[in-house]
Amino acid sequence: MTALATPRTPAPIGPIPTTMRALYKHHAGTALRLDPARTVPTPGPRDVLIRVTHAGICGTDRHIWEWDAWAASRIPVGIVTGHEFVGTIAAVGPAVTRYHPGQRVSAEGHISPGTGFNARTGSAHIADGMVILGVDRDGCFAEYVCIPEENVWPVHPSIPDHIAAVLDPLGNAVHTVMEAGVSAKTVLITGVGIIGLMAVTVAKAAGASRIFVTDIDPRRLALARRLGAVEAYDTREQHDKSWIDHLRAQTHNGVDVLVEMSGHPAAINDGFAALRPGGTAALLGIPSKPLTFDLTTHVIFKGARVLGINGRKMFETWYQMEALLLSGRLELAEIITHQLPMAQFARGFELMQSGEGIKVVLEVG
Ligand code: ZN
Protein backbone atom coordinates (compact mmCIF):
# COMPACT_ATOMS: atom_id res chain seq x y z
CA MET A 1 0.00 0.00 0.00
CA THR A 2 1.41 3.34 -1.00
CA ALA A 3 -0.69 5.43 1.36
CA LEU A 4 1.58 4.81 4.35
CA ALA A 5 4.21 7.28 3.26
CA THR A 6 3.58 10.68 4.80
CA PRO A 7 3.73 11.25 8.57
CA ARG A 8 1.10 13.72 9.65
CA THR A 9 1.79 16.73 11.83
CA PRO A 10 -1.03 17.13 14.37
CA ALA A 11 -2.95 20.40 14.11
CA PRO A 12 -2.40 22.75 17.05
CA ILE A 13 -5.02 22.58 19.79
CA GLY A 14 -6.87 25.83 20.30
CA PRO A 15 -9.36 26.77 23.01
CA ILE A 16 -12.34 24.40 23.18
CA PRO A 17 -15.59 26.09 22.13
CA THR A 18 -18.87 25.51 23.98
CA THR A 19 -20.80 24.45 20.88
CA MET A 20 -19.99 22.37 17.81
CA ARG A 21 -21.41 21.10 14.53
CA ALA A 22 -22.89 17.60 14.87
CA LEU A 23 -25.01 15.18 12.82
CA TYR A 24 -27.86 13.85 14.92
CA LYS A 25 -31.01 11.77 14.63
CA HIS A 26 -33.56 14.57 14.70
CA HIS A 27 -36.74 12.46 14.49
CA ALA A 28 -38.03 8.87 14.36
CA GLY A 29 -37.70 8.67 10.56
CA THR A 30 -35.22 8.81 7.70
CA ALA A 31 -32.08 11.01 7.38
CA LEU A 32 -29.92 12.91 9.86
CA ARG A 33 -29.77 16.64 10.51
CA LEU A 34 -26.77 18.93 11.05
CA ASP A 35 -27.00 20.82 14.35
CA PRO A 36 -24.79 23.91 14.03
CA ALA A 37 -24.67 24.51 17.80
CA ARG A 38 -24.68 21.24 19.74
CA THR A 39 -23.14 21.51 23.23
CA VAL A 40 -19.55 20.20 23.34
CA PRO A 41 -19.40 17.26 25.81
CA THR A 42 -17.51 17.71 29.08
CA PRO A 43 -15.06 14.86 29.82
CA GLY A 44 -15.54 12.97 33.08
CA PRO A 45 -12.52 12.26 35.33
CA ARG A 46 -11.33 9.29 33.22
CA ASP A 47 -12.56 10.51 29.83
CA VAL A 48 -10.75 11.94 26.85
CA LEU A 49 -12.25 14.70 24.67
CA ILE A 50 -11.21 14.29 21.04
CA ARG A 51 -11.46 16.86 18.26
CA VAL A 52 -12.63 14.70 15.35
CA THR A 53 -10.90 15.30 12.01
CA HIS A 54 -12.23 12.39 9.89
CA ALA A 55 -15.12 9.95 10.37
CA GLY A 56 -16.19 6.92 8.32
CA ILE A 57 -19.80 6.26 7.33
CA CYS A 58 -20.65 2.68 8.30
CA GLY A 59 -23.40 0.29 7.21
CA THR A 60 -24.75 0.76 10.75
CA ASP A 61 -25.05 4.50 10.09
CA ARG A 62 -27.01 3.66 6.94
CA HIS A 63 -29.46 1.60 9.00
CA ILE A 64 -29.83 4.60 11.32
CA TRP A 65 -30.23 6.99 8.37
CA GLU A 66 -32.85 4.73 6.74
CA TRP A 67 -34.55 4.13 10.12
CA ASP A 68 -35.18 0.43 9.54
CA ALA A 69 -36.75 -1.89 12.13
CA TRP A 70 -33.42 -2.43 13.92
CA ALA A 71 -32.69 1.31 14.14
CA ALA A 72 -36.23 2.12 15.30
CA SER A 73 -35.91 -0.47 18.09
CA ARG A 74 -32.42 0.56 19.24
CA ILE A 75 -31.51 4.18 18.48
CA PRO A 76 -32.56 6.96 20.87
CA VAL A 77 -33.91 9.95 18.90
CA GLY A 78 -31.64 12.94 19.45
CA ILE A 79 -28.39 10.95 19.52
CA VAL A 80 -25.26 12.10 17.64
CA THR A 81 -24.38 9.19 15.33
CA GLY A 82 -21.06 7.82 13.97
CA HIS A 83 -18.50 5.49 15.55
CA GLU A 84 -15.51 5.33 13.17
CA PHE A 85 -13.07 8.23 13.46
CA VAL A 86 -9.65 9.72 13.94
CA GLY A 87 -8.89 13.00 15.66
CA THR A 88 -6.67 14.88 18.08
CA ILE A 89 -7.02 14.86 21.85
CA ALA A 90 -8.31 18.28 22.92
CA ALA A 91 -8.62 17.71 26.67
CA VAL A 92 -8.36 14.93 29.24
CA GLY A 93 -10.17 14.37 32.55
CA PRO A 94 -8.17 14.91 35.77
CA ALA A 95 -7.66 11.17 36.40
CA VAL A 96 -6.40 10.35 32.89
CA THR A 97 -2.76 9.27 33.05
CA ARG A 98 -1.86 7.77 29.68
CA TYR A 99 -2.82 10.47 27.20
CA HIS A 100 -2.39 14.19 26.70
CA PRO A 101 -3.80 16.91 24.43
CA GLY A 102 -2.31 16.95 20.95
CA GLN A 103 -2.05 13.18 20.46
CA ARG A 104 -3.62 11.78 17.29
CA VAL A 105 -5.97 8.95 18.24
CA SER A 106 -8.80 6.70 17.15
CA ALA A 107 -10.90 4.62 19.54
CA GLU A 108 -12.64 1.32 20.09
CA GLY A 109 -16.33 2.23 19.87
CA HIS A 110 -17.54 -0.66 22.03
CA ILE A 111 -17.44 0.63 25.58
CA SER A 112 -17.35 -2.19 28.11
CA PRO A 113 -18.41 -1.67 31.73
CA GLY A 114 -15.20 -3.53 32.57
CA THR A 115 -16.48 -5.38 35.63
CA GLY A 116 -18.33 -8.52 34.44
CA PHE A 117 -17.03 -12.04 33.74
CA ASN A 118 -16.27 -11.55 30.03
CA ALA A 119 -14.71 -8.14 30.55
CA ARG A 120 -12.38 -9.62 33.15
CA THR A 121 -11.45 -12.77 31.23
CA GLY A 122 -10.16 -11.36 27.95
CA SER A 123 -13.49 -11.11 26.12
CA ALA A 124 -14.43 -7.48 26.70
CA HIS A 125 -15.75 -7.32 23.11
CA ILE A 126 -18.71 -9.51 24.13
CA ALA A 127 -19.16 -8.18 27.66
CA ASP A 128 -22.59 -7.75 29.19
CA GLY A 129 -23.71 -4.15 29.34
CA MET A 130 -21.74 -3.08 26.26
CA VAL A 131 -22.49 0.47 25.14
CA ILE A 132 -21.75 1.42 21.53
CA LEU A 133 -20.60 4.84 20.39
CA GLY A 134 -23.05 6.52 18.02
CA VAL A 135 -25.66 3.82 18.73
CA ASP A 136 -26.31 3.96 22.48
CA ARG A 137 -24.43 7.20 23.30
CA ASP A 138 -23.33 10.29 21.36
CA GLY A 139 -20.88 9.43 18.58
CA CYS A 140 -18.28 10.98 16.31
CA PHE A 141 -20.21 12.71 13.51
CA ALA A 142 -19.37 15.85 15.45
CA GLU A 143 -16.42 18.16 15.95
CA TYR A 144 -15.83 16.69 19.42
CA VAL A 145 -16.45 13.25 20.90
CA CYS A 146 -15.90 12.05 24.46
CA ILE A 147 -14.77 8.50 25.29
CA PRO A 148 -13.24 6.64 28.25
CA GLU A 149 -9.43 6.56 28.41
CA GLU A 150 -9.48 2.72 28.13
CA ASN A 151 -11.00 2.96 24.64
CA VAL A 152 -8.40 5.31 23.14
CA TRP A 153 -6.12 3.92 20.41
CA PRO A 154 -3.05 6.07 19.62
CA VAL A 155 -2.58 6.08 15.84
CA HIS A 156 0.87 5.36 14.43
CA PRO A 157 2.18 8.49 12.67
CA SER A 158 2.66 6.70 9.35
CA ILE A 159 -1.01 5.67 9.10
CA PRO A 160 -2.83 8.40 7.15
CA ASP A 161 -6.07 9.99 8.37
CA HIS A 162 -8.45 8.43 5.84
CA ILE A 163 -7.27 4.97 6.90
CA ALA A 164 -7.13 5.81 10.61
CA ALA A 165 -10.79 6.86 10.27
CA VAL A 166 -11.85 3.32 9.29
CA LEU A 167 -9.97 1.16 11.81
CA ASP A 168 -13.33 0.03 13.23
CA PRO A 169 -14.52 -1.89 10.11
CA LEU A 170 -10.95 -2.90 9.19
CA GLY A 171 -10.79 -4.36 12.71
CA ASN A 172 -13.94 -6.40 12.01
CA ALA A 173 -12.21 -7.87 8.94
CA VAL A 174 -8.96 -8.51 10.84
CA HIS A 175 -10.78 -10.13 13.78
CA THR A 176 -12.74 -12.45 11.46
CA VAL A 177 -9.75 -13.49 9.34
CA MET A 178 -7.32 -13.91 12.25
CA GLU A 179 -9.85 -15.88 14.32
CA ALA A 180 -10.44 -18.28 11.41
CA GLY A 181 -6.70 -18.65 10.72
CA VAL A 182 -5.95 -18.46 6.99
CA SER A 183 -2.19 -18.95 6.61
CA ALA A 184 -1.48 -21.45 3.78
CA LYS A 185 -5.21 -22.14 3.54
CA THR A 186 -7.86 -21.75 0.85
CA VAL A 187 -10.48 -19.17 1.81
CA LEU A 188 -13.97 -18.36 0.53
CA ILE A 189 -15.32 -14.92 1.38
CA THR A 190 -19.09 -14.71 0.82
CA GLY A 191 -20.13 -11.07 0.33
CA VAL A 192 -17.61 -8.41 -0.70
CA GLY A 193 -19.12 -5.22 0.65
CA ILE A 194 -16.83 -2.91 2.61
CA ILE A 195 -15.74 -5.43 5.24
CA GLY A 196 -15.68 -8.36 2.79
CA LEU A 197 -13.32 -6.42 0.51
CA MET A 198 -11.17 -5.53 3.50
CA ALA A 199 -11.17 -9.24 4.41
CA VAL A 200 -9.78 -10.07 0.95
CA THR A 201 -6.72 -7.85 1.40
CA VAL A 202 -6.31 -8.93 5.05
CA ALA A 203 -6.50 -12.64 4.13
CA LYS A 204 -3.95 -12.12 1.37
CA ALA A 205 -1.62 -10.25 3.71
CA ALA A 206 -2.08 -12.97 6.35
CA GLY A 207 -0.87 -15.64 3.94
CA ALA A 208 -4.01 -17.27 2.53
CA SER A 209 -2.97 -19.62 -0.27
CA ARG A 210 -5.95 -18.90 -2.55
CA ILE A 211 -8.94 -16.62 -2.03
CA PHE A 212 -12.34 -17.17 -3.62
CA VAL A 213 -15.22 -14.66 -3.30
CA THR A 214 -18.92 -14.48 -4.08
CA ASP A 215 -21.17 -11.45 -4.50
CA ILE A 216 -23.90 -10.09 -6.77
CA ASP A 217 -22.17 -6.81 -7.71
CA PRO A 218 -19.83 -7.13 -10.73
CA ARG A 219 -17.83 -4.01 -9.81
CA ARG A 220 -17.08 -5.29 -6.33
CA LEU A 221 -16.22 -8.72 -7.69
CA ALA A 222 -13.75 -7.05 -10.07
CA LEU A 223 -12.24 -5.11 -7.19
CA ALA A 224 -11.95 -8.32 -5.12
CA ARG A 225 -9.93 -9.81 -7.98
CA ARG A 226 -7.62 -6.80 -8.03
CA LEU A 227 -7.15 -7.21 -4.27
CA GLY A 228 -6.07 -10.82 -4.67
CA ALA A 229 -9.07 -13.14 -5.19
CA VAL A 230 -8.27 -15.87 -7.72
CA GLU A 231 -11.96 -16.54 -8.46
CA ALA A 232 -14.85 -14.10 -8.08
CA TYR A 233 -18.21 -15.76 -8.59
CA ASP A 234 -21.31 -13.75 -9.49
CA THR A 235 -23.97 -15.82 -7.71
CA ARG A 236 -26.81 -13.91 -9.38
CA GLU A 237 -25.56 -15.15 -12.75
CA GLN A 238 -24.94 -18.71 -11.55
CA HIS A 239 -28.41 -19.83 -10.41
CA ASP A 240 -27.42 -23.47 -10.87
CA LYS A 241 -24.73 -23.04 -8.20
CA SER A 242 -22.17 -24.50 -10.62
CA TRP A 243 -19.58 -22.25 -8.98
CA ILE A 244 -19.59 -24.58 -5.96
CA ASP A 245 -18.50 -27.53 -8.16
CA HIS A 246 -15.92 -25.32 -9.84
CA LEU A 247 -14.53 -24.31 -6.44
CA ARG A 248 -14.55 -27.90 -5.11
CA ALA A 249 -12.62 -29.08 -8.16
CA GLN A 250 -9.84 -26.60 -7.39
CA THR A 251 -9.58 -27.45 -3.67
CA HIS A 252 -9.72 -30.48 -1.37
CA ASN A 253 -13.44 -30.81 -2.05
CA GLY A 254 -14.08 -27.37 -0.58
CA VAL A 255 -12.21 -24.48 0.99
CA ASP A 256 -10.41 -24.76 4.33
CA VAL A 257 -11.99 -21.55 5.61
CA LEU A 258 -15.31 -19.80 5.03
CA VAL A 259 -15.48 -16.10 5.92
CA GLU A 260 -19.17 -15.12 5.82
CA MET A 261 -19.68 -11.40 5.34
CA SER A 262 -23.12 -11.12 3.68
CA GLY A 263 -25.68 -12.24 6.27
CA HIS A 264 -27.74 -13.48 3.32
CA PRO A 265 -29.43 -16.88 3.85
CA ALA A 266 -28.53 -18.27 0.40
CA ALA A 267 -24.93 -17.09 0.69
CA ILE A 268 -24.62 -18.69 4.13
CA ASN A 269 -26.01 -22.06 2.96
CA ASP A 270 -23.93 -22.02 -0.24
CA GLY A 271 -20.83 -20.94 1.68
CA PHE A 272 -21.14 -23.95 3.98
CA ALA A 273 -21.74 -26.19 0.94
CA ALA A 274 -18.40 -24.95 -0.43
CA LEU A 275 -16.57 -25.59 2.88
CA ARG A 276 -14.55 -28.80 3.00
CA PRO A 277 -15.23 -31.44 5.65
CA GLY A 278 -13.42 -30.38 8.82
CA GLY A 279 -13.18 -26.75 7.68
CA THR A 280 -13.64 -23.60 9.73
CA ALA A 281 -16.40 -21.02 9.23
CA ALA A 282 -16.14 -17.53 10.71
CA LEU A 283 -19.42 -15.62 10.56
CA LEU A 284 -19.60 -11.81 10.72
CA GLY A 285 -22.52 -11.03 8.35
CA ILE A 286 -25.78 -10.50 10.21
CA PRO A 287 -28.98 -12.09 8.84
CA SER A 288 -31.94 -9.73 9.14
CA LYS A 289 -34.11 -12.51 10.63
CA PRO A 290 -33.90 -16.18 11.66
CA LEU A 291 -33.11 -18.43 8.70
CA THR A 292 -33.43 -22.03 7.57
CA PHE A 293 -30.06 -23.77 7.71
CA ASP A 294 -29.08 -27.43 7.21
CA LEU A 295 -27.15 -27.94 10.45
CA THR A 296 -26.91 -31.72 9.92
CA THR A 297 -25.18 -31.53 6.55
CA HIS A 298 -23.30 -28.27 6.90
CA VAL A 299 -21.95 -28.54 10.44
CA ILE A 300 -22.49 -31.86 12.23
CA PHE A 301 -21.63 -34.47 9.57
CA LYS A 302 -19.09 -32.11 8.06
CA GLY A 303 -17.29 -31.74 11.38
CA ALA A 304 -17.12 -28.00 10.76
CA ARG A 305 -15.83 -25.53 13.32
CA VAL A 306 -18.12 -22.49 13.47
CA LEU A 307 -17.05 -19.16 14.97
CA GLY A 308 -19.37 -16.25 15.66
CA ILE A 309 -17.49 -12.97 15.27
CA ASN A 310 -18.51 -9.77 17.03
CA GLY A 311 -16.61 -6.49 16.92
CA ARG A 312 -12.89 -6.47 17.56
CA LYS A 313 -10.90 -8.13 20.36
CA MET A 314 -9.78 -5.51 22.82
CA PHE A 315 -7.13 -4.90 22.00
CA GLU A 316 -5.48 -7.88 20.36
CA THR A 317 -7.22 -7.11 17.06
CA TRP A 318 -5.98 -3.50 17.18
CA TYR A 319 -2.35 -4.61 17.56
CA GLN A 320 -2.74 -7.13 14.72
CA MET A 321 -4.33 -4.44 12.54
CA GLU A 322 -1.53 -1.98 13.21
CA ALA A 323 1.07 -4.65 12.40
CA LEU A 324 -0.68 -5.48 9.12
CA LEU A 325 -0.97 -1.79 8.16
CA LEU A 326 2.68 -1.12 8.94
CA SER A 327 3.73 -4.15 6.89
CA GLY A 328 2.48 -2.18 3.86
CA ARG A 329 0.64 -5.22 2.53
CA LEU A 330 -2.96 -4.03 2.92
CA GLU A 331 -4.55 -2.53 -0.21
CA LEU A 332 -7.21 -0.08 0.95
CA ALA A 333 -6.92 2.70 -1.64
CA GLU A 334 -9.73 1.41 -3.86
CA ILE A 335 -12.02 0.53 -0.93
CA ILE A 336 -12.06 4.06 0.52
CA THR A 337 -13.67 5.66 -2.53
CA HIS A 338 -14.75 9.11 -1.33
CA GLN A 339 -13.77 11.85 1.13
CA LEU A 340 -16.27 14.68 1.58
CA PRO A 341 -16.64 17.67 3.90
CA MET A 342 -19.12 16.86 6.71
CA ALA A 343 -21.56 19.47 5.32
CA GLN A 344 -22.02 17.12 2.32
CA PHE A 345 -23.12 14.23 4.55
CA ALA A 346 -26.34 13.66 2.57
CA ARG A 347 -24.26 13.11 -0.56
CA GLY A 348 -22.09 10.65 1.40
CA PHE A 349 -25.10 8.52 2.35
CA GLU A 350 -26.41 8.76 -1.22
CA LEU A 351 -23.07 7.46 -2.58
CA MET A 352 -23.29 4.45 -0.26
CA GLN A 353 -26.94 3.74 -0.99
CA SER A 354 -26.45 3.88 -4.76
CA GLY A 355 -23.40 1.61 -4.60
CA GLU A 356 -21.32 4.26 -6.40
CA GLY A 357 -19.23 4.70 -3.26
CA ILE A 358 -17.82 1.88 -1.14
CA LYS A 359 -16.29 3.45 1.98
CA VAL A 360 -17.06 7.15 2.39
CA VAL A 361 -15.06 9.26 4.85
CA LEU A 362 -16.34 12.61 6.12
CA GLU A 363 -13.87 15.44 6.77
CA VAL A 364 -15.20 16.78 10.04
CA GLY A 365 -12.78 19.47 11.14
ZN1 ZN B 1 -18.73 0.70 11.64
Side-chain angles (χ1 to χ4, degrees), residues 14 21 45 61 84 149 176-178 241 299 338 345:
R21 292 180 304 129
D61 301 315
E84 308 172 358
E149 174 182 25
T176 313
V177 169
M178 299 308 282
K241 304 191 191 299
V299 176
H338 295 81
F345 63 96

Side-chain angles (χ1 to χ4, degrees), residues 7 24 53-54 89 112 142 166 245 285 312 319:
Y24 74 112
T53 57
H54 299 74
I89 295 179
S112 159
V166 300
D245 294 331
R312 298 147 297 278
Y319 287 105

Side-chain angles (χ1 to χ4, degrees), residues 186 209-212 230-233 242-255:
T186 53
S209 65
R210 273 177 303 152
I211 300 165
F212 303 81
V230 291
E231 298 285 355
Y233 301 112
S242 55
W243 68 269
I244 299 175
D245 294 331
H246 186 259
L247 178 150
R248 281 190 184 133
Q250 297 177 70
T251 54
H252 299 297
N253 201 26
V255 286

Side-chain angles (χ1 to χ4, degrees), residues 58 83-84 168:
C58 180
H83 56 269
E84 308 172 358
D168 173 292

Side-chain angles (χ1 to χ4, degrees), residues 283-296:
L283 314 179
L284 184 83
I286 301 168
S288 59
K289 54 184 186 228
L291 55 91
T292 303
F293 179 76
D294 187 351
L295 194 65
T296 309

